């Protein structure tokens, strides 16, 4: 199904073809060059004589690694007597066949390109995205190196499966000429005679249905190399309240003041959110909101624990204020850490300071001193102040470091060491609090691959709609495992600010950010008001009670429906002997199909309204229904 031909092209059935390119400027040096080709069972080699007189050998090795999936590795070697230079290495470029690329066609693109992006979407007739997998100055970056295209009957994925992040591009182009995707290194390379250059280990795979299957394959291929998500612990599945309803200026009494209503609602986690601190990197409590400093933190956590709840602290590792720029909360000064250690910062190739999306200076995680500082902060929060876990926010990737004071063997050591820093946070926290949460939020984008082993609760990360909540939960159930703990984020971010069904029915962990009690002096300092009057509290109580009764987040997500082509949108979770279904549409009146049943009788229950719909028989059953927004069903053996 995936094979090499005599022209060094990879043929993928009738869906697509792929080939390697070497570019000087916009010219592909391999096009039109005299070639001698050798083809083996699973490999091919071309020997090229270029117009410059240089000669090179391109080796392409194809290996079957799973049903309908093959790995591809390209290597170019300078076999002549002259230096050989190229500006861009494309290995491979995937061109979709016209029949397969006919609309409607959907795509999932895993690069973290900008806040609020849809992870999957219908591909427009004209489209262009660079999908850079490295750090973006003053922006995001990183992500998952997977691109997938699918229609109603079939799909094709392109991914690299290197266990470490790579600063490559995965551009996707669509126009009247066709649709293509590629893995590209856009850095100049000069090979001296006898030198060679190897591309990334790439996988091309065929699937049916939406992005779940290719992401699950990616997860399995990374796990085989030791990169895998940690096993969840019970605390990962507990619902949460977050102080972000109080925005940047929450106080200790406001944190503990919600405890009575959280107990009533059945919420176990309290998150101390952004701007409790004086300066990034120093992480001391603000004097105006926590006047007694660390003592306020300890007393607050003692009260939370006495109420039978857990606490989580917000912070942003590996960055520092250096008197440059500002964020919504404050104008930056100079952190004490940088006053004492100005040489800790990452420098770009041009000597400028590398900055993250909040315009903060970035600290180099390859330095042992920075690792020690990260470990010290972790112990401060958990062992000294008494927090039970972390909300690590705005986390994307780390740029290559060109600071000569760090004496790196190569600049990308800093990018690769990012995982080392987050491993310290995760390991120390699990050691001190075995039932803890280390949540990593790549705000508005997909998680970066190097962070997969060091988070036990992924996040839907500032969704802009209920559809994004559902899509991102399915994304992370595929990437991290079908029973992964996925934080649905605050329900206030859903459609209408109250769509619990989208977070709970898909297997997410629900959360909220209301303020309590409803105080006019508090409201006066807030930009948005998320209060909880009695009638609203009754709704919240019903949904959190429903979650705690069924705890679908602990169940196994079953990939039985296509989010793009099955209507209404449907999600399925197996928990115990029961199978749970969640259907979504603005308004639906028609027949639904219940997949995944065994050949036996089931009692079907609308578990939101505790209403029995009757007995049906598996393995597949159909039911006439009408609903608005969502329908939540449970099938249990009759």
């Amino acid at each position: 199904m995936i094979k090499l031909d005599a022209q060094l092209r990879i043929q993928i059935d009738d869906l697509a073809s792929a080939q390697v390119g070497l570019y000087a400027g916009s010219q592909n040096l391999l096009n039109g060059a005299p070639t001698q080709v050798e083809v083996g069972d699973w490999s091919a080699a071309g020997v090229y004589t270029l117009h410059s007189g240089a000669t090179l050998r391109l080796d392409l090795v194809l290996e079957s690694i799973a049903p309908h999936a093959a790995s591809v590795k390209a290597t170019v070697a300078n076999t002549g007597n002259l230096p050989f230079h190229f500006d861009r290495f494309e290995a491979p470029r995937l061109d979709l066949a016209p029949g397969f690329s006919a609309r409607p066609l959907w795509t999932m693109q895993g690069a973290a390109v900008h806040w609020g992006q849809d992870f999957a979407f219908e591909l427009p007739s004209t489209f262009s995205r660079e999908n850079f997998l490295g750090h973006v100055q003053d922006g995001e970056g990183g992500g998952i190196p997977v691109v997938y295209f699918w229609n109603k009957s079939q799909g094709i994925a392109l991914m690299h499966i290197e266990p470490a992040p790579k600063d490559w591009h995965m551009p996707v182009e669509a126009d009247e000429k066709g649709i293509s995707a590629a893995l590209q290194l856009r850095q100049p390379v000069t090979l001296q005679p006898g030198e060679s250059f190897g591309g990334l280990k790439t996988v091309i795979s065929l699937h049916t249905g939406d992005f779940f299957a290719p992401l699950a394959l990616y997860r399995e291929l990374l796990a085989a190399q030791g990169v895998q998500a940690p096993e969840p612990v019970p605390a990962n599945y507990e619902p949460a309240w977050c102080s972000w309803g109080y925005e940047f200026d929450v106080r200790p009494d406001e944190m503990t003041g919600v405890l009575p209503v959280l107990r009533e609602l059945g919420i176990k986690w309290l998150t101390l959110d952004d701007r409790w601190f004086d300066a990034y990197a120093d992480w001391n409590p603000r004097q105006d909101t926590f006047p007694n400093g660390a003592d306020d933190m300890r007393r607050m956590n003692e009260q939370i624990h006495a109420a039978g709840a857990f606490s989580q602290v917000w912070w942003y590792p590996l960055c520092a204020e250096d008197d440059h720029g500002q964020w919504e909360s404050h104008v930056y000064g100079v952190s004490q850490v940088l006053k004492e250690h100005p040489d800790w910062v990452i420098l770009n190739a041009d000597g400028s300071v590398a900055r993250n999306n909040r315009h903060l200076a970035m600290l180099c995680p390859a330095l042992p001193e920075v690792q020690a500082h990260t470990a010290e902060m972790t112990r401060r929060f958990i062992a000294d102040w008494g927090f039970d876990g972390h909300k690590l926010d705005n986390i994307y990737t780390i740029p290559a470091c060109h600071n000569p004071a760090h004496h790196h063997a190569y600049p990308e050591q800093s990018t690769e060491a990012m995982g080392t820093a987050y491993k310290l946070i995760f390991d120390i926290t699990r050691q001190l609090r075995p039932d803890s949460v280390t949540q990593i939020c790549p705000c508005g984008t997909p998680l970066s691959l190097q962070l997969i082993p060091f988070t036990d609760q992924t996040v839907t990360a500032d969704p802009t709609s209920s559809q994004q909540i559902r899509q991102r939960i399915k994304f992370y159930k595929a990437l991290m495992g079908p029973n992964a703990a996925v934080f649905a984020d605050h329900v206030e971010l859903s459609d209408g600010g109250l769509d619990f069904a989208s977070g709970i029915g898909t297997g997410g962990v629900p959360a909220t950010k209301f303020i309590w009690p409803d105080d006019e002096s508090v409201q006066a300092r807030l930009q948005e008001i998320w209060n909880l009057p009695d009638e609203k509290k009754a709704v919240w109580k019903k949904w959190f009670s429903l979650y705690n009764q069924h705890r679908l987040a602990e169940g196994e997500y079953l990939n039985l429906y296509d989010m793009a082509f099955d209507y209404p949108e449907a999600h399925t979770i197996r928990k115990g002997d029961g199978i749970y279904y969640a259907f979504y549409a603005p308004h639906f009146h028609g027949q639904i199909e219940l997949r995944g049943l065994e050949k036996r009788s089931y009692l079907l229950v609308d578990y939101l309204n505790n209403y029995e719909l009757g007995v049906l028989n598996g393995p597949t059953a159909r039911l006439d229904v009408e609903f608005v927004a969502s329908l939540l069903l449970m099938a249990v053996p009759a």
Side-chain angles (χ1 to χ4, degrees):
M1 301 184 72
I2 303 175
K3 61 182 182 179
L4 284 167
D5 68 14
Q7 282 74 46
L8 274 74
R9 287 182 306 204
I10 304 164
Q11 298 291 347
I12 305 103
D13 284 352
D14 297 323
L15 305 183
S17 63
Q19 57 187 5
V20 176
L22 284 173
Y23 289 83
S26 60
Q27 179 188 6
N28 187 349
L29 301 174
L30 303 184
N31 287 343
T35 313
Q36 296 176 340
V37 177
E38 310 165 14
V39 180
D41 289 340
W42 285 98
S43 64
V47 180
Y48 294 83
T49 302
L50 306 182
H51 298 296
S52 63
T55 61
L56 62 97
R57 177 185 175 97
L58 173 66
D59 286 283
L60 198 57
V61 177
L62 191 70
E63 179 184 3
S64 178
I65 58 172
H68 314 299
S71 70
V72 182
K73 182 70 181 280
T75 304
V76 60
N78 185 349
T79 58
N81 299 316
L82 300 173
F84 170 63
H85 177 85
F86 55 90
D87 300 316
R88 175 159 53 97
F89 185 51
E90 189 173 72
R93 173 189 172 94
L94 187 69
D95 294 298
L96 303 188
F100 173 70
S101 58
R103 300 317 195 272
L105 183 73
W106 276 65
T107 180
M108 190 282 297
Q109 300 174 28
V113 292
H114 62 78
W115 188 97
Q117 70 190 74
D118 287 327
F119 294 8
F121 50 92
E122 186 172 354
L123 188 68
S125 57
T126 301
F127 179 83
S128 179
R129 180 183 286 179
E130 296 298 310
N131 286 327
F132 181 47
L133 297 168
H135 169 75
V136 177
Q137 181 78 349
D138 292 301
E140 289 79 30
I144 303 300
V146 181
V147 169
Y148 181 56
F149 302 95
W150 81 99
N151 57 30
K152 192 171 185 178
S153 59
Q154 54 197 346
I156 185 169
L158 174 67
M159 63 186 78
H160 88 64
I161 58 168
E162 299 289 338
K166 302 295 179 183
D167 287 356
W168 286 46
H169 290 74
M170 293 193 78
V172 173
E173 304 285 343
D175 55 27
E176 69 281 356
K177 298 178 183 178
I179 300 171
S180 67
L183 261 167
Q184 294 178 348
L185 175 68
R186 298 182 181 179
Q187 297 176 9
V189 176
T190 298
L191 296 180
Q192 299 298 328
E195 291 184 339
S196 62
F197 177 84
L200 306 181
K201 190 170 186 179
T202 305
V203 168
I204 299 172
S205 56
L206 306 180
H207 307 272
T208 58
D210 63 29
F211 52 79
F212 190 96
L215 281 172
L217 174 64
Y218 177 74
R219 165 171 49 87
E220 293 165 2
L221 295 174
L222 280 192
Q225 303 175 79
V227 180
Q228 60 187 17
E231 282 296 317
V233 295
N236 299 156
Y237 297 105
E238 293 294 345
W241 171 86
C242 181
S243 74
W244 187 237
Y246 290 96
E247 297 170 0
F248 291 107
D249 299 311
V250 68
R251 289 142 169 88
D253 60 321
E254 291 167 341
M255 286 287 295
T256 56
V258 301
L259 283 169
V261 71
L262 296 187
R263 186 184 304 112
E264 184 180 352
L265 296 177
I267 296 174
K268 290 290 187 69
W269 277 99
L270 292 85
T271 303
L272 176 62
D273 213 286
D274 195 355
R275 198 56 185 109
W276 56 266
F277 53 91
D278 56 353
Y280 295 90
D282 295 341
W283 305 115
N284 300 305
R286 280 168 56 185
Q287 288 298 302
D288 57 333
T289 54
F290 289 79
N292 298 304
D295 288 339
D296 278 345
M297 290 292 187
R298 296 186 191 101
R299 278 193 294 267
M300 179 188 73
N301 284 325
E302 287 169 1
Q303 292 180 56
I304 290 172
H305 293 153
F310 302 108
S311 62
Q312 194 174 18
V313 62
W314 185 103
W315 61 300
Y316 195 171
L318 302 179
C319 63
E321 298 180 28
D322 65 342
D323 206 24
H324 171 93
Q326 64 182 52
W327 193 242
E328 297 173 10
S329 61
H330 67 294
V331 176
Y332 298 152
V334 181
S335 65
Q336 187 64 31
V337 163
L338 278 196
K339 289 178 181 178
E340 297 174 3
H341 308 284
D343 56 331
W344 282 8
V345 299
I346 296 173
L347 298 181
N348 296 314
D350 62 2
S352 62
V353 174
R355 301 195 179 278
N356 60 24
N357 69 320
R358 290 197 174 187
H359 320 301
L360 295 154
M362 304 183 76
L363 305 181
C364 183
L367 293 181
E369 300 89 343
V370 172
Q371 294 174 16
H373 172 71
T374 304
E376 179 187 353
M377 293 301 100
T378 305
R379 292 189 181 94
R380 171 191 293 181
F381 301 143
I382 305 299
D384 185 10
W385 292 357
F387 284 97
D388 303 289
H390 314 272
K391 177 182 177 180
L392 308 176
D393 206 13
N394 294 277
I395 312 302
Y396 302 103
T397 189
I398 291 289
C401 181
H402 297 267
N403 191 330
H406 298 178
H407 306 291
H408 296 312
Y410 51 92
E412 293 78 15
Q413 278 190 313
S414 57
T415 309
E416 296 172 0
M418 180 183 184
T420 303
Y422 283 86
K423 184 178 188 301
L424 284 169
I425 297 171
F426 182 83
D427 287 350
I428 291 170
T429 304
R430 276 276 180 104
Q431 179 185 15
L432 295 172
R433 295 281 196 281
D435 202 20
S436 59
V437 163
T438 300
Q439 181 191 97
I440 298 180
C441 181
C443 296
T445 73
L447 185 75
S448 289
L449 78 90
Q450 63 267 44
L451 299 172
I452 288 173
F454 312 121
T455 175
D456 49 19
Q457 191 184 72
T458 50
V459 192
T460 58
D462 302 316
T464 60
S465 67
S466 292
Q467 195 275 339
Q468 279 197 351
I469 293 171
R470 301 191 299 267
Q471 185 186 94
R472 293 177 181 185
I473 288 174
K474 184 167 188 176
F475 178 95
Y476 285 117
K477 294 288 188 179
L479 179 68
M480 306 294 285
N483 68 332
V486 185
F487 191 70
D489 221 325
H490 312 139
V491 70
E492 290 84 358
L493 299 175
S494 67
D495 295 350
L498 46 69
D499 183 13
F500 282 97
S502 282
I504 291 176
T506 50
V509 178
T512 181
K513 60 175 181 177
F514 62 81
I515 60 172
W516 181 274
D518 197 0
D519 187 290
E520 290 184 2
S521 64
V522 172
Q523 290 190 16
R525 74 175 200 249
L526 301 177
Q527 297 184 37
E528 295 181 322
I529 309 300
W530 298 105
N531 55 9
L532 197 69
D534 288 344
E535 64 275 13
K536 188 175 177 182
K537 184 169 77 168
V539 175
W540 261 232
K541 187 173 182 178
K542 177 178 180 178
W543 279 103
F544 281 103
S545 175
L546 189 78
Y547 172 77
N548 283 319
Q549 179 184 355
H550 297 279
R551 297 181 72 88
L552 294 189
E554 297 174 339
E556 177 191 4
Y557 189 97
L558 303 177
N559 181 36
L560 302 178
Y561 298 91
D562 185 326
M563 287 194 72
F565 292 100
D566 282 324
Y567 189 80
E569 179 187 326
H571 301 261
T572 311
I573 294 169
R574 178 166 52 212
K575 190 162 190 285
D577 293 332
I579 295 185
Y580 291 78
Y581 297 88
F583 296 92
Y584 304 93
H587 176 242
F588 181 81
H589 187 189
Q591 191 174 80
I592 57 174
E593 183 179 54
L594 304 179
R595 303 172 185 170
L597 302 171
E598 297 179 7
K599 191 175 181 180
R600 62 187 302 176
S601 297
Y602 289 85
L603 175 64
L604 192 64
V605 180
D606 174 346
Y607 66 92
L608 172 60
N609 299 298
N610 197 26
Y611 178 73
E612 294 184 2
L613 299 175
V615 175
L616 47 80
N617 297 314
T620 300
R622 291 173 175 82
L623 186 71
D624 291 321
V625 299
E626 183 174 7
F627 66 88
V628 175
S630 61
L631 175 66
L632 304 181
L633 302 176
M634 173 179 64
V636 294

